[in-house]
Amino acid sequence: MSVAVKICGLSEPDTLRAAVTGGARYVGFVFYPPSPRAVAPAMAGELARLVPTGVRSVGLFVDPDDAFLEHVIGQVPLDVIQLHGSENPRRIVEIKARYRMPVMKAVKIGGPDDLAAAADLAEVADRLLFDAKPPSKTGALPGGNGVAFDWTLLAGRRWSKPWMLSGGLTPENVAEAVRVTGATEVDVSSGVEDRPGHKDAALIRAFLSSLGGL
C-alpha cells in the first residue's frame, strides 16, 4: 500500500491490532478531554507499547500547555505530536524545542483563503495535516466531525513539508479523495466508527483494504 494511513482516536487493543495488522503506518491517540475519542494517558501508554516497530504513535493535542504535555508525554511513548488547535508558529517552535519530537500541525480548510496559513506553518512544522474546518454549530469539535472539504483545493498543490489529508474520509470515498488531491498520506477517525468515539475493527480493515491497490 503506497498511501500511508493514520487511524486516529484509538482507545482499545482490538482496534489497535486491526489498524497495525491491516497496514496502518500511524496510530493516533487523542488527548483532548471534550472529545468522545479522548483516552487517558495511562491507557494510551499501554496501547502505545503494543505498537510494532515501523508504525508511528501520534498524540493529538488541542492548544496544550506545557504541564499537560509533560503529563502525557511522561506516560506515553509518542513518536509525533499533532497540534489540532489554534497553535501559532511560535508555539510550534517552542514545543519542538522542548520535547525534541516531530510536530504535525493541522490546517483547517473551509475555502481557498484558508490555504494561506499553510505556508507559514510549513516553515516550522515537520508536516501538515489538512482537515475540514469545524461546523459553525456550538459544541463542534476541532476535528473528527465527519466533515469533508472541497478536495479540489489541494489538487496540484505542492508544499515544502510532507502532508496528510483528513476530514470526512470513509472506506467508500478515500480512494477518490486520494485521486483528486494527490495525497500520499491520509488520516481517518470518525469514518471508521460505528458510533461517536467507538472504533469498529471491520471498518478499519475496510478502510485499509480500499487503498490496497493505490
Side-chain angles (χ1 to χ4, degrees):
M1 187 163 56
S2 60
V3 178
V5 177
K6 172 172 169 275
I7 307 293
C8 194
L10 292 163
S11 59
E12 298 176 331
D14 63 332
T15 48
L16 176 72
R17 281 191 291 270
V20 298
T21 59
R25 293 190 221 168
Y26 302 85
V27 293
F29 306 109
V30 174
F31 302 109
Y32 180 60
S35 171
R37 301 165 188 95
V39 60
M43 173 57 74
E46 293 180 17
L47 293 171
R49 291 178 181 89
L50 301 175
V51 177
T53 301
V55 178
R56 305 181 80 185
S57 295
V58 182
L60 185 154
F61 300 85
V62 178
D63 297 306
D65 59 23
D66 289 341
F68 187 62
L69 284 167
E70 294 279 1
H71 175 66
V72 173
I73 293 172
Q75 300 179 71
V76 188
L78 296 174
D79 299 303
V80 180
I81 293 172
Q82 178 179 334
L83 298 176
H84 217 92
S86 57
E87 302 90 0
N88 60 28
R90 180 177 177 180
R91 180 59 175 150
I92 294 170
V93 170
E94 290 174 352
I95 290 173
K96 285 181 61 174
R98 186 179 184 97
Y99 298 102
R100 305 292 180 183
M101 198 180 300
V103 169
M104 175 162 59
K105 178 67 180 88
V107 183
K108 298 167 189 178
I109 307 298
D113 293 345
D114 296 316
L115 288 171
D120 287 341
L121 292 169
E123 290 293 320
V124 292
D126 296 283
R127 62 178 58 237
L128 302 175
L129 181 143
F130 292 101
D131 195 5
K133 187 172 279 188
S136 57
K137 66 181 181 180
T138 302
L141 295 168
N145 294 296
V147 177
F149 62 92
D150 180 0
W151 298 326
T152 64
L153 293 173
L154 296 182
R157 300 295 294 262
R158 297 290 181 268
W159 311 97
S160 61
K161 298 289 176 63
W163 60 275
M164 189 175 284
L165 177 67
S166 187
L169 299 179
T170 67
E172 294 73 30
N173 70 14
V174 65
E176 176 66 7
V178 168
R179 186 192 68 78
V180 171
T181 63
T184 58
E185 298 187 339
V186 297
D187 170 271
V188 65
S189 186
S190 62
V192 290
E193 293 179 347
D194 54 16
R195 61 182 185 273
H198 186 263
K199 294 291 181 288
D200 182 279
L203 288 174
I204 290 173
R205 289 190 288 268
F207 188 93
L208 292 162
S209 296
S210 70
L211 292 168
L214 297 179

